[in-house]
């Protein structure tokens, strides 16, 4: 038998193959669960019983636990390993994925201490003879290396011996990047397979389970609660354990807490013996506090036994670590990691860690005390990377909360993408927030002392001073101290744009606070009868009525000079951040174990600049309405300063005269950024994002003609700016903006400009204006005919097909995409055009849009001429027609869910609108087939391109090129994911050819 020769792996036919040392060495980052694990091994019953007892006490499961549970050795073992309710759902989801995409993911979201890791490993154990099961245990910094090892595991054995890998990621957030890397490896190696390559089981701890998580069918959720069926299983197992272990089972806290339905009373009784002293606590008591600290605030973490022994000091005789921890030994667990490595130590359960921490706090040993002692007494020597990661998470990781009482003044700064309603990220880490909430008058200073201690101790780390700066400006509103620590953080990592962002936020929020205090005080003075006297461009100090808002002493009245002074610092900080972001190529950077090195482009410098510009505009105009004409360049700054007797403002003239152009440039960036892409397929930009950008644009650019600008601007151009239709992206999203009457005006203005200066861009915009107008009124007499539009493009095609903008190629593809059985009236190599477009995209947009999902902008429909071009907004309108919703945000969320889930392609109205396209897959590449020619297109989901053969799809166009959506293999529809068959898609190639269209 294969297993007699060593470890074996299952293949897709249900048999096993022997795995030699060469393959085993090539998958060192993975803990592979071999199909014949423990078979024909003489398992030492004492070792197995010890592992079982450790597991029941709270240690994470070992493969031996599952094996031992299946081997009834005595009459005491009468019940099987407990299967939580999520077990069957998880197995079913995995079985569905076995008939689906090349790579797919299932998320197991589990509250800390609910048994999520056990459930995940139990599923791997039970499927080891069906799939190739493994756990990622190596470092996650090199995603490419992990992908290569996953492929090695998939292909192990002779040709035809492949089998799907079931890969467990345990609380590691690299899933999307890993899937992309695996797909790249599959394509590069031209792996041909009729089965999925990998199913990723992403096991994530989440204290708060959001509503969107509950609604996602790909998520299995495990909470700290038991169903009636689960309770029955635990009671039966408890009887068996008490027979096998006698009184010892009373200290099996990991099991007992679950069996008691996570009851707080059990936890309190377990920890009731603790007699906490505030001073002169023994070392083992201090160590217990440290373990409680890290396990309460970084669930799943551990300390190394060697670190713990070093803290306890020289051994007293030959006492073991467990003996030295008496009487607390039963509250902690020690367990092996990898063979030969240091043991791990942690609390038996997160609820016990939390209870111990509460008892310490009630006895006067505060959270901040414990955190400070941990940093000074436990972390005495050079801190290892593992422990550094724990400390960083404990002090800086902001988690999702359900607290909706956050101060509205700072709400916008705290919100991040996708955080809507009551569920959003906390302002600080849970530990810092708990210190702030529980330690009374000293809470704020204690938060500062902990973060300052970490900042001073770890002198190379930028994230602790960054968190400290955030605390100073958000909570204490001590802006000079916040500025100091933000600069320290920036100095420690000058190339990190996300660290640089904090300094800009300090200045921005300082400016906001001054302006808002003034506005608040003014409202109070009107409502409560206090007197406020105008003084120059600011206000004199308000007389404080009884019970009114108190203006802080250091703030006083705001003036135009102070507004400009603060905004200048903010503008410069955000410009520095923008430069740093431009230099962060970051496409391949990943989490390095300590630092979260983002692979996305950081837009906060650009966005922060616009936010400050909004504040400057509103605050200056509130002082004097003539500031609006100064900031929009309608009147000169010189004459205005002289007229109001403010010569000291002349030093800000360079800033003032540059503001309009800077705002326009940054708004132009976001015009394309938001039109062409979104954060991910399932996420939209925060609702306030586009609003702030549009507001800023209209204030500075879209209101009037800048007479005193160095660059003269004609009236038609200003008219287009007012309509936000001056650039290609703005034109493209005119349908989203609802400019029903303005579209004809826009088309007229671009028609005037197409033969003037800048002919190429103007011509492109003129063509696009016709396409947009045709979407609304296909028979409009104002429309230019398709042959004329083609001839406009032909002039540029004849001159040069290379070195054009992505927008130029976009139009070429739209206008010259061939129709079945119709001869093209202009000979153009569309494959070359696609390649040129991709190269142009790479040079123009890739750096900024990396990792973002490129929106489909136009689809190929069933009409003719311009009528066959279907704007995405038309599909959105079809989706909401059947389900009217009052709130725009609700409509956006609804349509976004339809797109991300793929339900959009099942809608009959959408199927009636779009044209099914025939194509072929060859070597993981997709081609559209028209008139005997093949045109290469991208796949919207590369994981669906699982084998060569005929396919059909819908064709859309992004700013990178043509894309195949909803790819189906009609002759093998059973192999595709568990969806309904595509409308009109037959089971043979012949049936496809009978459909109307391409």
């Amino acid at each position: 038998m294969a297993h007699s020769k060593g470890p074996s792996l299952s293949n897709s036919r249900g048999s096993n193959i022997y795995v030699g040392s060469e393959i085993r060495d090539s998958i060192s980052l993975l803990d592979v669960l071999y199909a014949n694990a423990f078979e024909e091994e003489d398992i030492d019953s004492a070792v197995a019983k010890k592992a079982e007892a450790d597991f029941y006490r709270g240690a994470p499961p070992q493969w031996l636990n599952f094996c031992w549970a299946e081997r009834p050795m005595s009459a005491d073992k009468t019940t099987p390993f407990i299967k939580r309710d999520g077990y069957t759902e998880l197995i079913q989801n995995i079985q569905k994925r076995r008939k689906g995409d090349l790579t797919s993911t299932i998320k197991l979201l589990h509250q800390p201490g609910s048994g999520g890791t056990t459930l995940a490993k139990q599923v791997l154990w039970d499927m080891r003879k069906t799939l190739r099961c493994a756990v990622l245990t190596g470092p996650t910094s090199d995603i490419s290396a992990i992908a290569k090892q996953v492929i090695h595991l998939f292909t192990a054995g002779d040709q035809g011996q492949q089998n799907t890998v079931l890969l467990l990621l345990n609380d590691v957030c690299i899933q999307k990047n890993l899937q992309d890397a695996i797909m790249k490896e599959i394509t590069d190696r031209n792996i041909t397979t009729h089965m999925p390559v990998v199913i990723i089981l992403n096991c994530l701890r989440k204290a708060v389970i959001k509503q969107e998580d509950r609604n996602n069918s790909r998520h299995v959720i495990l909470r700290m609660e038991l169903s009636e069926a689960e309770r029955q299983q635990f009671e039966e197992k408890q009887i068996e354990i008490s027979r096998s272990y006698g009184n010892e089972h009373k200290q099996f806290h990991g099991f007992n807490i679950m069996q008691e339905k996570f009851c707080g009373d059990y936890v309190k009784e377990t920890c009731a013996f603790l007699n906490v002293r505030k001073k002169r606590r023994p070392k083992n008591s201090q160590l217990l506090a440290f373990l409680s600290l890290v396990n309460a605030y970084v669930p799943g973490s551990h300390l190394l036994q060697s670190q713990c022994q070093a803290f306890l000091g020289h051994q007293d005789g030959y006492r073991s670590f467990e003996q030295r921890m008496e009487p607390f030994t039963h509250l902690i667990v020690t367990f092996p990691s990898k063979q030969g490595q240091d043991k791990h130590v942690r609390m038996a359960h997160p609820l016990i860690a939390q209870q111990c921490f509460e008892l310490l706090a009630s006895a006067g040993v505060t959270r901040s005390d414990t955190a400070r002692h941990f940093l000074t007494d436990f972390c005495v020597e050079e801190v290892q990377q593992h422990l550094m990661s724990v400390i960083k998470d404990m002090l800086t990781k902001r988690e999702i909360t359900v607290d909706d009482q956050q101060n509205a003044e700072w709400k916008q700064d705290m919100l991040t993408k996708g955080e809507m309603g009551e569920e959003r990220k906390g302002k600080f880490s849970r530990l810092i927030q708990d210190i702030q909430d529980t330690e009374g008058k000293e809470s704020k200073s204690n938060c500062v002392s902990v973060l300052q201690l970490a900042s001073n101790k770890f002198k190379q780390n930028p994230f602790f001073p960054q968190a400290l700066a955030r605390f100073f400006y958000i909570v204490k509103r001590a802006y000079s101290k916040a500025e100091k620590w933000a600069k320290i953080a920036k100095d420690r990592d000058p190339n990190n744009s996300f660290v640089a962002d904090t300094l800009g936020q300090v200045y921005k929020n300082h400016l906001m606070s001054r302006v808002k205090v003034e506005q608040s005080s003014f409202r109070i003075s009107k409502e409560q009868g206090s007197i406020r006297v105008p003084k120059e461009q600011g206000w004199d100090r308000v007389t404080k009525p009884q019970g009114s808002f108190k203006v802080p002493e250091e703030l006083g009245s705001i003036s135009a000079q102070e507004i400009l002074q603060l905004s200048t610092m903010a503008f410069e900080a955000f410009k520095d951040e923008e430069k740093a972001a431009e230099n962060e190529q970051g496409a391949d950077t990943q989490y390095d174990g300590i630092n979260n090195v983002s692979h996305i482009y950081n837009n906060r410098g650009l966005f922060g600049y616009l936010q400050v510009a909004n504040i400057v505009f509103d605050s200056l105009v509130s002082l004097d309405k003539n500031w609006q004409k100064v900031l929009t360049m309608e009147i000169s700054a010189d004459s205005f300063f002289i007229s109001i007797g403010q010569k000291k403002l002349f030093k800000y003239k360079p800033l003032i005269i540059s503001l309009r152009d800077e705002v326009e440039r940054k708004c132009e960036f976001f015009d394309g950024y938001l039109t062409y892409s979104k954060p991910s397929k399932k996420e939209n930009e925060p609702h306030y994002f586009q609003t702030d950008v549009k507001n800023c644009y209209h204030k500075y650019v879209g209101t009037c003609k800048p007479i005193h600008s160095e660059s003269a601007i004609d009236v038609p151009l200003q008219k287009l700016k007012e309509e936000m239709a001056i650039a290609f992206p703005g034109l493209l999203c005119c349908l989203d903006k609802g400019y029903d009457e303005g579209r004809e005006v826009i088309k007229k203005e671009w028609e005037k400009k197409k033969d003037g200066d800048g002919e190429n861009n103007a011509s492109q915009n003129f063509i696009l204006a016709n396409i947009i107008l045709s979407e609304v009124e296909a028979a409009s007499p104002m429309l230019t005919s398709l042959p004329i539009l083609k001839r406009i493009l032909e002039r540029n095609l004849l001159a040069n097909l290379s070195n054009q903008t992505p927008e130029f190629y976009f139009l070429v593809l739209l206008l010259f995409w061939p129709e079945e059985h119709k001869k093209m009236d202009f000979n153009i190599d569309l494959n070359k055009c696609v390649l040129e477009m991709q190269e142009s995209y790479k040079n123009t947009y890739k750096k900024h849009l990396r990792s973002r999902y490129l929106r489909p902008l136009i689809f190929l429909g069933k009409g003719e001429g311009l009528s066959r071009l279907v704007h995405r907004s038309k599909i959105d309108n079809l989706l909401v027609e059947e389900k009217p919703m009052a709130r725009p945000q609700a409509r956006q969320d609804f349509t976004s869910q339809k797109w991300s889930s793929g339900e959009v392609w099942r809608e009959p109205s959408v199927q009636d609108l779009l044209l099914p396209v025939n194509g072929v897959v060859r070597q993981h590449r997709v081609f559209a087939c028209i008139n005997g020619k093949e045109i290469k297109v991208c796949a919207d989901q590369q994981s669906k391109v699982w084998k060569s053969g005929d396919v059909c799809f819908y064709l859309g166009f992004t700013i990178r090129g043509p894309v195949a959506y909803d790819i189906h293999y009609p002759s093998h529809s059973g192999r595709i994911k568990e969806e309904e068959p595509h409308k009109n898609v037959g089971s043979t190639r012949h049936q496809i050819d009978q459909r109307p269209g391409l």
Side-chain angles (χ1 to χ4, degrees):
M1 296 177 65
H3 59 252
S4 64
K5 301 177 183 178
S8 68
L9 294 170
S10 63
N11 62 23
S12 59
R13 295 192 294 270
S15 58
N16 290 350
I17 61 166
Y18 167 69
V19 179
S21 59
E22 183 179 348
I23 292 177
R24 295 200 301 271
D25 292 343
S26 70
I27 49 179
S28 58
L29 298 176
L30 309 177
D31 174 17
V32 177
L33 174 58
Y34 293 102
N36 60 344
F38 300 106
E39 291 181 9
E40 295 191 356
E41 286 187 30
D42 292 328
I43 299 175
D44 187 328
S45 60
V47 172
K49 289 275 284 185
K50 172 67 165 57
E52 184 176 65
D54 286 344
F55 171 63
Y56 288 139
R57 290 180 60 215
Q62 302 178 47
W63 299 127
L64 180 58
N65 294 130
F66 303 109
C67 173
W68 186 249
E70 291 178 350
R71 293 190 179 186
M73 305 296 292
S74 69
D76 289 338
K77 297 182 71 173
T78 58
T79 61
F81 203 95
I82 294 174
K83 289 182 171 65
R84 296 292 307 272
D85 286 351
Y87 175 89
T88 301
E89 184 182 359
L90 207 49
I91 293 286
Q92 289 173 346
N93 279 352
I94 291 170
Q95 296 291 11
K96 289 178 182 178
R97 303 299 180 270
R98 292 183 67 191
K99 300 176 182 179
D101 303 343
L102 280 175
T103 69
S104 60
T105 301
I106 303 166
K107 286 186 180 179
L108 171 57
L109 307 179
H110 61 109
Q111 292 179 308
S114 62
T117 302
T118 301
L119 173 58
K121 286 195 166 185
Q122 183 181 12
V123 167
L124 262 65
W125 174 262
D126 289 347
M127 302 198 78
R128 71 191 185 282
K129 293 183 181 294
T130 306
L131 303 173
R132 295 183 176 177
C133 300
V135 183
L136 175 61
T137 56
T140 60
S141 54
D142 191 346
I143 299 293
S144 178
I146 299 171
K148 283 180 168 59
Q149 295 201 11
V150 170
I151 297 300
H152 278 310
L153 183 57
F154 171 76
T155 58
D158 299 330
Q159 185 67 27
Q161 299 282 6
Q162 302 168 338
N163 200 9
T164 302
V165 175
L166 179 58
L167 179 66
L168 173 60
L169 305 183
N170 203 347
D171 216 31
V172 178
C173 300
I174 59 168
Q175 164 222 315
K176 176 64 169 62
N177 297 333
L178 180 57
Q179 277 186 277
D180 291 344
I182 290 171
M183 281 308 310
K184 183 178 185 303
E185 190 70 17
I186 292 170
T187 303
D188 291 348
R189 293 178 57 175
N190 191 24
I191 293 173
T192 302
T193 176
H194 289 195
M195 71 187 77
V197 171
V198 61
I199 301 169
I200 297 175
L201 175 52
N202 203 359
C203 189
L204 296 171
R205 290 182 180 87
K206 291 193 73 173
V208 176
I209 307 296
K210 299 195 291 184
Q211 186 61 45
E212 64 189 65
D213 296 327
R214 300 188 189 106
N215 296 340
N216 195 318
S217 62
R218 288 176 180 254
H219 295 174
V220 177
I221 295 174
L222 200 62
R223 298 184 182 85
M224 284 200 290
E225 56 189 45
L226 296 181
S227 67
E228 185 60 31
E230 289 173 323
R231 187 187 62 78
Q232 182 65 32
Q233 289 185 72
F234 272 94
E235 288 182 357
E236 292 173 359
K237 180 63 73 172
Q238 198 270 342
I239 295 172
E240 176 189 305
I241 290 174
S242 61
R243 283 201 305 263
S244 299
Y245 290 94
N247 286 332
E248 186 182 353
H249 84 276
K250 294 180 181 179
Q251 295 186 345
F252 288 173
H253 301 310
F255 176 86
N256 294 339
I257 286 175
M258 298 182 75
Q259 193 267 329
E260 294 285 343
K261 296 180 286 188
F262 306 93
C263 177
D265 291 340
Y266 175 87
V267 177
K268 290 177 181 178
E269 291 172 10
T270 300
C271 301
F273 75 97
L274 294 176
N275 184 16
V276 180
R277 291 184 296 178
K278 187 173 181 180
K279 297 182 178 179
R280 295 184 180 179
R281 288 181 294 143
K283 285 278 188 142
N284 61 351
S285 178
Q286 295 177 50
L287 181 57
L288 184 76
F290 297 156
L291 287 165
S292 299
L293 173 70
V294 297
N295 287 150
Y297 289 101
V298 191
S301 61
H302 61 268
L303 302 178
L304 298 179
Q305 184 170 297
S306 59
Q307 295 171 329
C308 296
Q309 288 175 324
F311 174 76
L312 293 175
H314 298 295
Q315 288 199 16
D316 180 12
Y318 295 97
R319 297 171 66 203
S320 67
F321 172 70
E322 287 77 8
Q323 290 172 330
R324 300 182 75 190
M325 284 302 296
E326 289 291 352
F328 315 118
T329 307
H330 67 98
L331 299 181
I332 63 175
V333 290
T334 60
F335 52 95
S337 52
K338 289 185 177 179
Q339 188 173 4
Q341 291 187 359
D342 202 347
K343 282 188 173 183
H344 294 175
V345 183
R346 75 182 189 195
M347 299 297 287
H349 195 277
L351 292 180
I352 290 179
Q354 292 169 17
Q355 180 62 22
C356 288
F357 224 54
E358 292 295 333
L359 290 172
L360 286 165
S362 62
V365 182
T366 62
R367 290 169 171 79
S368 56
D369 284 336
T370 304
R372 282 189 292 262
H373 285 299
F374 178 70
L375 293 172
T376 55
D377 300 342
F378 190 85
C379 307
V380 289
E381 299 177 357
E382 184 177 351
V383 175
Q384 295 178 344
Q385 184 172 323
H386 153 73
L387 184 55
M388 193 68 219
S389 179
V390 172
I391 297 169
K392 178 178 176 292
D393 281 356
M394 184 169 66
L395 296 182
T396 68
K397 184 178 180 180
R398 296 160 58 194
E399 299 179 19
I400 296 293
T401 69
V402 291
D403 180 14
D404 61 347
Q405 300 301 316
Q406 298 191 50
N407 189 333
E409 182 175 344
W410 309 103
K411 181 177 178 182
Q412 189 176 88
D413 187 48
M414 294 300 103
L415 283 171
T416 57
K417 60 185 180 182
E419 294 162 8
M420 309 299 292
E422 294 183 350
E423 296 164 334
R424 59 176 64 90
K425 273 188 179 179
K427 297 176 185 177
F428 308 100
S429 73
R430 275 199 303 123
L431 174 60
I432 296 302
Q433 288 183 167
D434 283 352
I435 292 173
Q436 185 184 353
D437 293 342
T438 62
E439 298 190 7
K441 294 181 180 179
E442 302 299 318
S443 62
K444 293 180 182 179
S445 60
N446 287 341
C447 291
V448 168
S449 69
V450 170
L451 290 172
Q452 191 166 333
L453 177 59
S455 300
N456 291 330
K457 184 176 183 65
F458 306 110
K459 296 185 180 298
Q460 304 300 315
N461 190 295
F463 301 108
F464 302 125
Q466 181 187 35
L468 182 54
R470 292 186 71 255
F471 192 86
F472 271 125
Y473 86 73
I474 293 172
V475 177
K476 294 182 74 68
R477 305 197 185 179
Y479 297 105
S480 59
K481 292 180 179 178
E483 177 186 16
K484 169 192 168 183
W485 287 103
K487 287 180 176 178
I488 289 173
K490 187 177 176 182
D491 289 342
R492 291 183 181 183
D493 193 354
N495 298 321
N496 189 322
S497 67
F498 291 91
V499 171
D501 180 66
T502 304
L503 184 59
Q505 298 298 333
V506 170
Y507 293 136
K508 184 191 81 176
N509 281 276
H510 190 182
L511 178 60
M512 285 171 61
S513 72
R514 298 300 300 271
V515 171
K516 289 189 177 183
V517 165
E518 288 303 312
Q519 292 172 346
S520 174
S521 301
F522 181 55
R523 283 195 297 270
I524 291 166
S525 69
K526 291 175 67 177
E527 291 168 4
Q528 301 189 19
S530 60
I531 301 171
R532 197 176 181 88
V533 182
K535 183 180 180 180
E536 296 182 335
Q537 300 307 307
W539 291 90
D540 204 355
R541 191 177 301 275
V542 65
T543 302
K544 172 184 173 294
Q546 188 67 29
S548 70
F549 179 85
K550 182 180 179 181
V551 180
E553 286 290 331
E554 71 273 19
L555 292 182
S557 296
I558 194 80
S559 65
Q561 182 176 8
E562 188 176 5
I563 291 171
L564 292 170
Q565 181 183 13
L566 283 171
S567 63
T568 298
M569 293 187 289
F571 284 138
E572 288 304 315
F574 285 128
K575 281 184 178 180
D576 287 345
E577 179 185 356
E578 181 186 348
K579 290 176 185 175
E582 287 292 323
N583 294 328
E584 286 174 337
Q585 295 303 314
D588 298 320
T589 54
Q590 304 294 340
Y591 180 71
D592 63 5
I594 298 177
N595 302 337
N596 278 311
V597 184
S598 177
H599 65 287
I600 68 172
Y601 174 75
N602 178 13
N603 62 40
R604 287 181 66 87
L606 289 152
F607 186 65
Y609 189 102
L610 295 182
Q611 286 184 309
V612 175
N614 268 325
I615 299 167
V616 169
F617 190 95
D618 292 341
S619 56
L620 289 178
V621 171
S622 71
L623 297 178
D624 188 324
K625 290 183 178 179
N626 285 316
W627 270 108
Q628 177 174 348
K629 296 181 179 181
V630 175
L631 294 173
T632 57
M633 307 301 292
E634 193 175 353
I635 63 174
S636 73
D638 292 5
S639 60
F640 176 66
F641 295 159
I642 292 170
S643 69
I644 62 174
Q646 290 288 322
K647 293 183 179 180
K648 58 187 176 182
L649 296 181
F650 272 99
K651 65 179 179 179
Y652 299 108
K653 181 182 173 182
L655 168 67
I656 292 168
I657 63 176
S658 69
L659 256 178
R660 178 182 168 119
D661 288 343
E662 280 289 335
V663 165
E664 185 170 4
R665 182 180 71 82
K666 289 172 171 58
C667 288
E668 184 179 332
F669 167 85
F670 280 116
D671 209 12
Y673 188 82
L674 299 173
T675 299
Y676 295 153
S677 69
K678 54 188 290 191
S680 72
K681 195 171 186 177
K682 298 181 179 180
E683 288 181 283
N684 294 312
E685 226 73 47
H687 66 282
Y688 64 84
F689 202 97
Q690 200 157 32
T691 301
D692 280 8
V693 173
K694 286 181 180 179
N695 286 344
C696 197
Y697 182 88
H698 282 300
K699 287 170 186 173
Y700 285 89
V701 183
T703 54
C704 59
K705 178 180 174 182
I707 300 171
H708 289 268
S709 174
E710 293 180 3
S711 56
I713 182 170
D714 57 36
V715 174
L717 200 61
Q718 179 59 31
K719 178 65 178 175
L720 290 166
K721 287 190 175 188
E722 291 172 14
E723 298 285 357
M724 292 190 75
I726 191 65
F728 199 93
L731 267 170
L732 199 54
C733 63
C734 272
L735 291 173
D736 299 318
K737 298 170 185 173
Y739 295 160
D740 292 331
E741 297 178 0
R743 294 186 192 104
E744 291 189 355
V745 175
I746 291 169
K747 188 260 182 186
K748 282 181 182 177
E749 298 299 340
W750 279 117
E751 188 167 19
K752 295 175 186 175
K753 296 192 63 62
K754 68 179 173 63
D755 297 320
D757 296 332
E759 176 186 344
N760 196 10
N761 284 339
S763 297
Q764 292 176 30
N765 290 342
F766 169 70
I767 293 170
L768 182 59
N770 276 276
I771 294 173
I772 297 302
L773 183 57
S774 73
E775 295 286 326
V776 182
E777 192 176 352
S780 171
M782 288 192 61
L783 280 176
T784 305
S785 68
L786 182 58
I788 294 176
L789 297 179
K790 285 185 175 182
R791 282 199 292 273
I792 294 172
L793 273 183
E794 285 172 17
R795 292 202 298 264
N796 293 297
L797 287 171
L798 291 170
N800 187 13
L801 183 60
S802 302
N803 302 318
Q804 299 277 9
T805 64
E807 287 81 0
F808 171 82
Y809 299 113
F810 179 80
L811 291 175
V812 171
L813 290 172
L814 292 184
L815 298 191
F816 289 95
W817 193 267
E819 296 181 68
E820 188 72 62
H821 309 309
K822 285 190 179 181
K823 185 179 179 181
M824 288 182 62
D825 52 3
F826 185 77
N827 189 23
I828 179 172
D829 186 345
L830 289 183
N831 273 311
K832 182 181 179 183
C833 184
V834 170
L835 291 174
E836 292 285 356
M837 185 175 184
Q838 291 172 346
E839 185 65 24
S840 181
Y841 167 83
K842 181 179 178 181
N843 297 331
T844 309
Y845 294 120
K846 183 178 180 181
K847 179 168 70 173
H848 299 134
L849 304 185
R850 62 181 186 258
S851 85
R852 288 174 65 88
Y853 178 71
L854 297 184
R855 296 175 183 270
L857 306 170
I858 301 283
F859 284 92
L860 202 61
K862 292 178 178 176
E864 294 184 353
L866 292 181
S867 297
R868 70 174 182 155
L869 302 180
V870 179
H871 193 277
R872 179 191 169 117
S873 65
K874 186 173 287 188
I875 299 176
D876 287 340
N877 292 336
L878 287 175
L879 295 176
V880 298
E881 277 177 4
E882 299 175 4
K883 188 176 181 180
M885 285 163 281
R887 290 191 310 112
Q889 188 61 41
R891 291 197 295 271
Q892 184 185 27
D893 292 343
F894 175 75
T895 57
S896 180
Q897 188 275 329
K898 287 282 189 179
W899 284 99
S900 63
S901 66
E903 293 175 29
V904 62
W905 314 118
R906 312 280 79 79
E907 294 289 334
S909 58
V910 174
Q911 293 174 340
D912 290 340
L913 184 66
L914 300 184
L915 181 71
V917 175
N918 292 338
V920 65
V921 170
R922 195 176 295 109
Q923 295 183 345
H924 299 286
R925 292 169 176 83
V926 187
F927 300 85
C929 301
I930 310 104
N931 291 333
K933 293 184 178 180
E934 295 180 355
I935 303 172
K936 185 180 176 183
V937 301
C938 293
D940 178 49
Q941 292 178 275
Q942 188 64 35
S943 61
K944 295 191 180 300
V945 185
W946 50 271
K947 76 177 189 69
S948 296
D950 294 333
V951 291
C952 61
F953 49 82
Y954 294 124
L955 189 68
F957 299 87
T958 72
I959 198 58
R960 188 172 55 193
V963 177
Y965 294 88
D966 194 39
I967 297 173
H968 276 70
Y969 290 81
S971 59
H972 296 82
S973 57
R975 176 67 66 183
I976 306 301
K977 68 178 184 179
E978 65 284 357
E979 295 179 341
E980 298 175 14
H982 192 286
K983 184 181 179 182
N984 292 332
V985 173
S987 59
T988 67
R989 175 68 182 187
H990 173 74
Q991 286 175 298
I992 304 176
D993 290 337
Q994 303 308 307
R995 292 177 299 148
L998 298 183

